[in-house]
Amino acid sequence: MPSKEDLYQLFVEKAELVAAKVTSIASEDDALKYVINLCGEKEACQLLVSGCEADLSDKAEALCDTKQKKVIAAPGLNEDLYKKLAAQAKKAGFECIDKGMRDHLAGVDIGFTYAEYGIADTGTLMLDCPGEEMRLATMVSEFHVCVLPKSKIKANTYAVEKMMLTRMKKTPDYLAFITGPSRTADIERVLALGVHGPLELHILLLED
Amino acid sequence: MQKAHNLKEYREELHETLENDFLRTSLDNFAIAYRTNRANIFKDIDVRGLIQEVAASKDAAAQNSEALFKEFKKNAEAAGVHVHFAKDGEEANRIITKIAKDADCKKIVKSKSMTAEETLLNHDLEDAGIEVTETDLGEWIIQLRHEGPSHMVMPAIHLSRYQVGDLFTEVTGKKQDTEIEKLVKVARRELRQKYVEADMGISGANFAIAETGGIGIVTNEGNARLVTTLPRVHVALMGIDKLLPNLRDALRILKVLPRNATVQNLTSYVTWITGNNECLAAEDGKKEIHYVVLDNGRSELIKDPVFSQINRCVRCGACANVCPVYRLVGGHKMGHIYIGAIGLILTYFFHGKEKAKNLVQNCINCEACKDVCAGGIDLPRLIKEVHARIQDEDGHPLPSLLLGKVLRNRKLFHTLLRTAKWGQKPVAEKDGFIRHLPMIFSKEHKFRALPTIAETPFRDWWKENRPQVDNPKYRVALFSGCVQDFVYPEQMQAAVDVFAANGVAMEFPEKQSCCGLPVQMMGETKASRDVAAQNLRAFEPDAYDYIVTLCASCAAHLKHNYPKLVMDKPSLKLRADAFSAKIIDYSSFVNDVLKVEAKDFTQTGEKATYHAPCHLCRGLDVHEAPRQLIEKSGLEYVECAEEEVCCGFGGTFSMKFPELSAELLKKKLDNVEATGADTLLTDCPGCIMQLRGGLKRRGSKVQVKHVAEVMSKNKK
């Protein structure tokens, strides 16, 4: 049996191998600080993945116009944490939402979530998201920031099988393995990050 | 998509792709990178064991598919999903079109589905006035170009960034860059509005899990998550081959699928959907979900004793990734809709004989696909079986019938070879090559010189010269195969020399003939069986410790195929099992059994490189023995790039597809010459014929020899 520390090391190694940005944090407050900072560092009102400078068809361009302010989407957080985040976001001049993702399909700056489990041998996050808001927040965001408590790191997919089955049997269910940011190599086999999903995946490993 | 009506037209199509430099370069780069990267990603994994597990679980699922479908349907329906069964593609398309009409859907976004390619679903939906948009980047590109996929996992691998740039310029009405990063961003934004507008999403499924009634989808781009989340209706189209009893089996396949397909530990997203999820665009807040489970010939396949293993295919596309022929001509020519080795087979079952009959001949039988297959499918054998079936249905072409007739009659065959020796006199050069190729060989065959028939066949030499070995350590029977018997007897003589010096008593059963692989390759199953029976009767397996052959192709055929060929004849089957257990190749015998040592050979230090025959390295899984022998026999072994890649001979393949054979040979010889070695060694007379003939045409100084020949020469 690998030790907790081994699993943690392996998780970090494998996640970084697929271009996830992994940071250790001591508390949930650190996570909020991280999100606010990251949102602040992003260029103002820019959909980085598209780049506002890109020449698009008129119709696709129109979708871009619906986004005027930096947005943090954080559905699925516990109430207290969400309140804290919303307050900090407001102070920094960002919009913070926990629902209504369909009004933000042009994209949001940051999707902020909690993972249920981590899978060490592939650096994978397991997120259960039967709710649509959470699914969209993790897909239409430019950056996906996800907190993973260290104690939730398991060795491999077989070790989460039982947990998965429990969730799947309580239907309906919509469960995701997320390993690194969205990617494609469909043009000349050259790797490009951020096709339909996030351009960056930030994993915050929480000491617990 | 394959459109040629006959082999001639097909060859013309192949010729066109051979001239596509972009395609050739990108497939070359891909093939080389894939091989190295795959070895790395599996380095800590028992890949053989994993493949066996996958094969066993898929086989069990196939045998149980009806019950699995019932269980899957029951659980899916209990979770609010509608489940449909479609007996063929037409019915599947009809069901899906009706779902769209009934739910008043006008716009559809699709996440990649090979099954929808198989049924040509988009055509039917578009005919019904519905707008369909592919969202996988590669699929979107080929949809815009009105093409089919050229690779199962990378559908647009045949296109350059410039072609994509031009295409996007047309689509957006704005001039686009050719920087890949930017093109990807443009696609992202253009497609985002398609998701927003769509009322229906269509996906495939990689797994249909009976115990939960749910599906699993593997993607990198994440489009499957959007397609299954945003529109109010979701339809997943999947073949019955996707049915699995439980989640564990899916997780197991997930260990091999991305690693084999794109050399990733896992794709960015694996999406598990169970039941009708929340959908805020639907009136009742619930998504309308339909699973359409397609048969289209699969249940027939599952019942077929030979072809049932096709059900193991997990659509990773690895068989194309390693196929030397695919690497030359790309997926549009190496497949109809499904591409690569599995594509040649599936085309016959899903799209019919007419689409498959030319394709199926384009397999060089190098076994690279079999070696890499995630489900352990014996792809080359099945391709030959399809070829044989088509010939049985359509009638056999004259050359293959004739060869079959000749090989079944050993005396006639050997008389013909002896006669050829006289017939070739006017065109034979002193150096062992034919000066001018006879008229029947058109100019396409000029890429290599062909050897002359030897003055004295091995069997005649043996009668006069068989050595006397007293107190033998081993008793072996020699199997020469036709090429060494009649063209290169000196290779056999060299082996006899080394064997005798190492205390090996030998027999050469005179009634042996061609191993029968050439007729098997031409789809002459009956002749292939008859030849096998003839050879089995010629050898008394119990009388020897080993049956040694210096031809890798003969060895692999004798060892693996003979027991299968006589399966229906119980008495012969026992003999074939005993026979095949005794078959050993020259290098393994000399290195691993005789355990020769370097001190018995004169060390010249001369540089030699190696070509690994397909049927030795993959067919018999022999890798180290010949390389160790090269060093032991006193030479310095220099590794050659792509040493285990086919030389392009493939027996009758090189006669049928000379252009492809020439290209494969060119690559091989370029690699050989780059080593700077003066000697090229190998373990198969067929490869020697190809390599020597090609080097002769190039005017190269590199000498080609069988490993046995240097061992005999340097023996102290």
Side-chain angles (χ1 to χ4, degrees), chain B residues 105-123:
Chain B
C105 298
K106 305 257 180 336
K107 293 186 177 184
I108 293 178
V109 278
K110 272 179 78 201
S111 164
K112 185 168 180 261
S113 155
M114 276 312 293
T115 315
E117 301 277 354
E118 174 187 328
T119 67
L120 299 173
L121 174 62
N122 289 6
H123 295 300

Side-chain angles (χ1 to χ4, degrees), chain B residues 292-303:
Chain B
V292 180
V293 182
L294 175 71
D295 187 328
N296 204 25
R298 286 168 172 81
S299 56
E300 278 302 306
L301 260 174
I302 285 169
K303 284 181 212 138

Side-chain angles (χ1 to χ4, degrees), chain B residues 269-399:
Chain B
Y269 301 98
V270 183
T271 302
W272 307 94
I273 303 173
T274 319
N276 60 337
N277 285 283
E278 182 186 64
C279 177
L280 300 178
E283 264 174 45
D284 60 354
K286 287 278 186 187
K287 190 182 286 282
E288 179 183 331
I289 302 187
H290 299 261
Y291 294 156
V292 180
V293 182
L294 175 71
D295 187 328
N296 204 25
R298 286 168 172 81
S299 56
E300 278 302 306
L301 260 174
I302 285 169
K303 284 181 212 138
D304 188 301
V306 178
F307 288 100
S308 63
Q309 51 176 310
I310 291 175
N311 186 71
R312 296 178 192 162
C313 175
V314 297
R315 310 278 189 262
C316 67
C319 54
N321 297 352
V322 297
C323 173
V325 180
Y326 174 89
R327 180 171 161 183
L328 287 180
V329 303
H332 287 157
K333 301 293 171 264
M334 192 65 185
H336 177 63
I337 285 172
Y338 290 100
I339 57 94
I342 190 73
L344 302 191
I345 304 165
L346 292 182
T347 299
Y348 174 71
F349 289 101
F350 296 165
H351 305 289
K353 185 177 74 182
E354 282 307 307
K355 305 283 184 215
K357 67 179 183 193
N358 301 312
L359 290 177
V360 85
Q361 301 182 55
N362 202 359
C363 162
I364 199 166
N365 199 31
C366 74
E367 302 199 349
C369 52
K370 176 183 171 183
D371 195 47
V372 81
C373 177
I377 307 172
D378 191 348
L379 293 154
R381 171 161 182 246
L382 298 186
I383 292 170
K384 290 303 149 211
E385 290 279 349
V386 172
H387 186 196
R389 279 194 190 193
I390 293 177
Q391 287 195 175
D392 287 347
E393 290 169 38
D394 268 9
H396 294 231
L398 195 59

Side-chain angles (χ1 to χ4, degrees), chain A residues 30-186:
Chain A
D30 285 353
L32 300 185
K33 210 185 290 168
Y34 189 98
V35 169
I36 298 293
N37 279 343
L38 187 67
C39 194
E41 283 164 16
K42 262 190 105 231
E43 283 175 63
C45 181
Q46 282 227 349
L47 290 170
L48 291 183
V49 181
S50 67
C52 286
E53 78 282 5
D55 283 316
L56 299 168
S57 65
D58 297 338
K59 245 177 136 180
E61 192 80 57
L63 194 61
C64 188
D65 294 339
T66 61
K67 184 178 185 298
Q68 296 301 340
K69 204 175 172 189
K70 286 187 181 178
V71 184
I72 299 171
L77 286 195
N78 75 48
E79 209 175 317
D80 285 350
L81 197 62
Y82 180 74
K83 270 188 191 152
K84 271 194 194 170
L85 177 69
Q88 290 185 29
K90 195 175 174 191
K91 211 167 131 197
F94 314 140
E95 194 179 345
C96 188
I97 57 170
D98 64 350
K99 54 178 167 306
M101 284 305 303
R102 279 186 187 261
D103 299 330
H104 293 272
L105 294 178
V108 300
D109 295 85
I110 292 177
F112 181 56
T113 60
Y114 247 74
E116 302 236 358
Y117 291 100
I119 301 164
D121 72 344
T122 50
T124 299
L125 299 170
M126 180 178 135
L127 269 76
D128 196 9
C129 26
E132 178 188 292
E133 302 285 9
M134 171 110 142
R135 254 178 276 159
L136 289 177
T138 58
M139 283 309 292
V140 303
S141 53
E142 307 266 295
F143 299 164
H144 175 198
V145 182
C146 185
V147 177
L148 172 65
K150 263 172 133 178
S151 62
K152 298 283 190 173
I153 299 177
K154 305 290 169 189
N156 51 41
T157 55
Y158 297 150
V160 290
E161 184 190 343
K162 266 201 186 134
M163 277 87 90
M164 288 176 72
L165 275 175
T166 312
R167 282 165 178 75
M168 286 172 170
K169 285 184 173 163
K170 216 179 81 197
T171 56
D173 183 58
Y174 196 110
L175 202 146
F177 287 170
I178 298 178
T179 313
S182 163
R183 65 189 58 217
T184 186
D186 271 351

